[in-house]
Amino acid sequence: DSGVTQTPKHLITATGQRVTLRCSPRSGDLSVYWYQQSLDQGLQFLIHYYNGEERAKGNILERFSAQQFPDLHSELNLSSLELGDSALYFCASSVDSGSYNEQFFGPGTRLTVL
Amino acid sequence: AQTVTQSQPEMSVQEAETVTLSCTYDTSESDYYLFWYKQPPSRQMILVIRQEAYKQQNATENRFSVNFQKAAKSFSLKISDSQLGDAAMYFCAYRSLGGAGGSEKLVFGKGTKLTVNP
């Protein structure tokens, strides 16, 4: 158990819908990262938040957005869902930004868009 | 932008034998970190081993060791005395140092599926 929690574990929805994925980092971790794992694209970085502020964006679609709240938990919002958005979405957290801090991964949320 | 290449989509090894997984990367940075992650069927991402680019000594963690060749931008993983529990997808990953507002995002390779035969 990494100490990072993600809810829900599984999500099945229809095209055009909107969903919210939630991540609670390890206690004391300030950085949260979101990654998408799909069969065709592999593991890709989506976005990084540090202490409530957006630090970096990766290959995140405009239909996707995220935020980190004052209690440091983070949410990834996916809207106007398409079949190709079906993937495993990971959240990872680390203590700080910079230096040699391991990223601890949550168990992931499996999103299926029908 | 940094890229990570794993040229072996699948590998197999006999139990108790040794196997080496390959990884190459491309970067213009001089300092960075490299990682190997294991993803078993449970899908959990587990850190296996890490290497700081400024360290010439290859990292070792029990049965896992790396061969880090900075000039060649190569970072291979050697698993000794392979066990059935080692069967998983293995991902090589690159991470910048970050700092100055930069991000320490991980850049992953496509992965190598390792099968361990009894």
Side-chain angles (χ1 to χ4, degrees):
Chain A
D1 185 359
S2 66
V4 179
T5 60
Q6 290 187 247
T7 56
K9 287 187 177 180
H10 302 279
L11 198 49
I12 301 174
T13 188
T15 54
Q17 296 298 305
R18 173 190 170 93
V19 297
T20 297
L21 313 183
R22 182 188 171 101
C23 168
S24 293
R26 294 188 322 153
S27 177
D29 284 2
L30 300 178
S31 269
V32 170
Y33 304 80
W34 285 97
Y35 295 90
Q36 178 195 59
Q37 184 177 28
S38 62
L39 280 174
D40 52 347
Q41 298 293 326
L43 265 162
Q44 289 201 92
F45 166 72
L46 294 179
I47 197 163
H48 169 202
Y49 275 85
Y50 173 71
N51 202 20
E53 295 189 3
E54 182 184 302
R55 178 60 65 90
K57 269 186 175 180
N59 299 318
I60 187 166
L61 301 171
E62 287 191 7
R63 300 183 285 108
F64 295 1
S65 65
Q67 54 184 328
Q68 186 179 27
F69 295 86
D71 66 352
L72 300 177
H73 90 272
S74 177
E75 293 181 358
L76 179 67
N77 300 296
L78 316 177
S79 61
S80 301
L81 285 168
E82 301 175 359
L83 296 177
D85 297 328
S86 296
L88 184 57
Y89 291 84
F90 284 108
C91 162
S93 74
S94 66
V95 171
D96 203 342
S97 189
S99 76
Y100 189 31
N101 293 306
E102 177 182 346
Q103 292 184 22
F104 292 86
F105 281 77
T109 292
R110 166 74 67 184
L111 173 66
T112 302
V113 182
L114 301 175
Chain B
Q2 295 82 21
T3 59
V4 177
T5 301
Q6 292 179 250
S7 59
Q8 306 153 316
E10 295 186 26
M11 292 281 285
S12 64
V13 63
Q14 291 297 124
E15 198 174 3
E17 296 296 309
T18 296
V19 64
T20 298
L21 308 184
S22 301
C23 172
T24 58
Y25 58 93
D26 189 27
T27 183
S28 58
E29 298 175 325
S30 57
D31 282 329
Y32 44 87
Y33 302 118
L34 296 166
F35 304 85
W36 279 97
Y37 280 86
K38 170 184 178 181
Q39 187 179 41
S42 67
R43 298 292 190 176
Q44 179 70 48
M45 294 292 288
I46 302 165
L47 178 64
V48 174
I49 198 166
R50 55 193 166 200
Q51 174 82 41
E52 297 99 318
Y54 64 87
K55 287 187 177 179
Q56 292 187 346
Q57 186 174 5
N58 289 324
T60 300
E61 289 285 345
N62 301 313
R63 297 182 295 107
F64 299 87
S65 61
V66 298
N67 183 3
F68 173 49
Q69 301 290 328
K70 190 173 183 180
K73 296 181 181 175
S74 171
F75 183 60
S76 61
L77 174 69
K78 186 171 82 170
I79 306 174
S80 304
D81 186 25
S82 297
Q83 301 175 1
L84 295 177
D86 295 333
M89 282 290 288
Y90 285 82
F91 293 94
C92 179
Y94 174 103
R95 202 191 88 186
S96 297
L97 259 62
S103 174
E104 299 77 41
K105 66 181 183 184
L106 290 167
V107 178
F108 288 93
K110 293 289 189 184
T112 296
K113 182 179 180 181
L114 179 66
T115 301
V116 181
N117 300 308

